[in-house]
Amino acid sequence: MFVIIYLIAYYGVFRNWNPKYRPEASSCLISLAHGTPAFFLAIIAIANQSQSQRGFASPNTELQNIVLDYSISYFTMDLIHYLVFNPNDVLFIGHHLATLFVFITCRYLVSHGAFAILILLGLAEVTSFCQNTWTLAGVRKNDVAAAGKLYEFLSPPFYAFYSVVRGIAGPAFVYKMGAFYLSGAADNVIPRWLVVSWLVVVVVAISVSILWVAYLWVDLFKQRSGKMEKKVR
């Protein structure tokens, strides 16, 4: 499905775009096809799990496994995109490989822990629609006036939304998740080495996200300060 969407985007939706930007735009489109649906699917999959079985060490339900497969498919396709068009983007390639490691081991190796992983997925993808719209507008901001205006309009609220999710909600949940797993409460169903691996991947991903959005805030303030100085002159 994601291969088809990518090809439709590359050869259809964005066929008139500058060839330099078509791969990135196509990647954004498959991200849109994954992000928001994955957020709602994760919520449904968690909500459908019985209260008594819901927890960090609970076995995966069939629906939770389907959501994991959905995300594995997306990250595999987007990884192929980066390997083909941006092989030097080590950060994103590493991110996708690490994310696939977490999803695949949760789904196929231990078949436990999807409750925690899907909450993390929901936190990661709740900003997806706004982020991808902002990214697409940013790609064309210098070519299309409307795209430039949309990019400027979306930047502050997107940065704020992203900051709250990745800077507050994410770390708070990871702390709770880490306290449970490192206590040994799930050692009988999820090996400790795997739990530690998951936590390392998640903590690194959140840390990089916080650094990225901090850079965006600094850049935004510099741009706004520059505009103010020009007006004063």
Side-chain angles (χ1 to χ4, degrees):
M1 184 190 82
F2 288 110
V3 171
I4 292 171
I5 293 173
Y6 188 94
L7 292 175
I8 290 173
Y10 191 87
Y11 292 106
V13 179
F14 304 116
R15 66 182 182 279
N16 294 323
W17 283 35
N18 186 320
K20 179 181 177 181
Y21 302 126
R22 284 168 66 190
E24 182 179 0
S26 300
S27 175
C28 282
L29 198 62
I30 62 169
S31 182
L32 283 167
H34 167 259
T36 303
F39 169 74
F40 287 109
L41 286 171
I43 292 175
I44 294 169
I46 292 170
N48 282 351
Q49 191 174 24
S50 63
Q51 189 72 35
S52 60
Q53 293 185 338
R54 195 181 303 163
F56 290 113
S58 61
N60 301 353
T61 66
E62 184 177 353
L63 182 56
Q64 288 173 345
N65 282 335
I66 291 173
V67 180
L68 289 172
D69 284 337
Y70 185 72
S71 291
I72 289 169
S73 299
Y74 159 70
F75 279 102
T76 300
M77 179 58 220
D78 208 41
L79 176 61
I80 293 171
H81 154 79
Y82 277 99
L83 290 174
V84 173
F85 293 104
N86 299 292
N88 295 322
D89 197 336
V90 179
L91 185 62
F92 262 92
I93 291 173
H95 169 269
H96 282 24
L97 287 172
T99 302
L100 283 169
F101 167 79
V102 173
F103 287 160
I104 291 171
T105 53
C106 176
R107 168 69 172 91
Y108 294 102
L109 182 62
V110 294
S111 297
H112 285 72
F115 170 78
I117 300 304
L118 291 186
I119 289 179
L120 289 172
L121 176 65
L123 289 171
E125 299 300 345
V126 69
T127 58
S128 175
F129 181 81
C130 187
Q131 181 174 349
N132 283 292
T133 304
W134 171 82
T135 301
L136 286 171
V139 169
R140 298 303 301 273
K141 65 180 181 180
N142 295 324
D143 304 322
V144 181
K149 290 180 180 179
L150 180 61
Y151 180 82
E152 289 188 6
F153 173 77
L154 285 177
S155 291
F158 165 58
Y159 298 172
F161 185 28
Y162 193 93
S163 297
V164 171
V165 173
R166 300 297 179 98
I168 300 175
F173 179 76
V174 171
Y175 174 80
K176 186 175 180 180
M177 173 182 167
F180 178 86
Y181 284 133
L182 295 179
S183 71
D187 283 359
N188 60 325
V189 291
I190 307 175
R192 182 67 67 91
W193 68 266
L194 186 58
V195 163
V196 172
S197 299
W198 288 358
L199 290 172
V200 169
V201 168
V202 173
V203 169
V204 170
I206 288 178
S207 299
V208 172
S209 296
I210 292 172
L211 289 174
W212 179 68
V213 77
Y215 168 80
L216 292 177
W217 277 118
V218 170
D219 187 56
L220 178 65
F221 285 129
K222 284 182 178 179
Q223 291 179 19
R224 296 291 170 90
S225 298
K227 289 181 180 179
M228 289 296 293
E229 288 179 5
K230 287 182 180 179
K231 287 183 179 180
V232 171
R233 292 174 184 174

